[in-house]
């Protein structure tokens, strides 16, 4: 009898080399810093704010799921740069989403924000600048 079956060994090696977050990370209130792929998916449980003078960076491949009618308001800077084939996704936190389930990404005074290779789906307004 083997101590570790062959398949168990490869599952163990894979888990060490490629960590996957099996539990979502909640987001609520003021945030800044970096949302990492390792912490994904993120669940917006209350309205989220990037404060003036602060930066929120989002790594490629991150998924951010919003609960009903929640927003991401950007008073500071949002840097969300995905890549082709490894996009950043902003979506609704429901297995059967419809249109307009979460509200929007709202830019207040954010002239330096970047959204490249991002997917914004099932939002009420998408991404809107302050006029």
């Amino acid at each position: 009898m083997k101590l570790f079956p062959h398949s168990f060994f490869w599952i163990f090696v894979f888990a060490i080399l490629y960590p996957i977050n099996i539990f979502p990370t909640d987001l609520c209130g003021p945030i800044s810093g970096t949302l990492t792929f390792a912490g994904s998916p993120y669940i917006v449980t209350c309205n989220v704010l990037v404060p003036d003078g602060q930066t929120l960076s989002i790594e490629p491949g991150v998924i951010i799921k919003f609960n009903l009618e929640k927003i991401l308001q950007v008073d500071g800077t949002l840097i969300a740069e995905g890549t082709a084939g490894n996009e950043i996704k902003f979506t609704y936190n429901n297995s059967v989403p419809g249109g307009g389930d979460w509200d929007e990404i709202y830019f207040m005074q954010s002239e330096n924000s970047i959204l490249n290779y991002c997917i914004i789906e099932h939002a009420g307004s998408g991404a809107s600048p302050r006029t």
Side-chain angles (χ1 to χ4, degrees), residues 4-69:
F4 294 106
H6 184 70
S7 60
F8 176 78
F9 172 76
W10 288 112
I11 291 170
F12 178 75
V13 168
F14 183 80
I16 296 297
L17 295 177
Y18 301 99
I20 297 171
N21 187 15
I22 59 173
F23 300 106
T25 304
D26 289 346
L27 297 177
C28 181
I31 61 170
S32 61
T34 301
L35 299 183
T36 64
F37 179 74
S40 184
Y42 293 89
I43 307 297
V44 177
T45 59
C46 76
N47 291 336
V48 171
L49 168 69
V50 180
D52 187 28
Q54 300 290 314
T55 299
L56 176 64
S57 298
I58 305 174
E59 291 183 348
V62 166
I63 298 171
I64 302 172
K65 297 179 177 185
F66 291 76
N67 284 347
L68 185 65
E69 299 178 353

Side-chain angles (χ1 to χ4, degrees), residues 24-124:
T25 304
D26 289 346
L27 297 177
C28 181
I31 61 170
S32 61
T34 301
L35 299 183
T36 64
F37 179 74
S40 184
Y42 293 89
I43 307 297
V44 177
T45 59
C46 76
N47 291 336
V48 171
L49 168 69
V50 180
D52 187 28
Q54 300 290 314
T55 299
L56 176 64
S57 298
I58 305 174
E59 291 183 348
V62 166
I63 298 171
I64 302 172
K65 297 179 177 185
F66 291 76
N67 284 347
L68 185 65
E69 299 178 353
K70 300 305 178 227
I71 69 168
L72 169 56
Q73 179 174 320
V74 182
D75 290 354
T77 303
L78 174 63
I79 307 295
E81 291 194 276
T83 60
N86 202 17
E87 296 85 1
I88 296 167
K89 184 184 280 189
F90 299 89
T91 191
Y92 183 49
N93 185 27
N94 192 324
S95 59
V96 184
D101 294 316
W102 62 282
D103 201 5
E104 66 183 337
I105 302 172
Y106 188 72
F107 295 90
M108 289 292 288
Q109 303 173 29
S110 185
E111 297 174 4
N112 298 320
S113 290
I114 300 170
L115 279 85
N116 284 325
Y117 292 99
C118 292
I119 298 168
I120 300 173
E121 61 184 13
H122 310 296

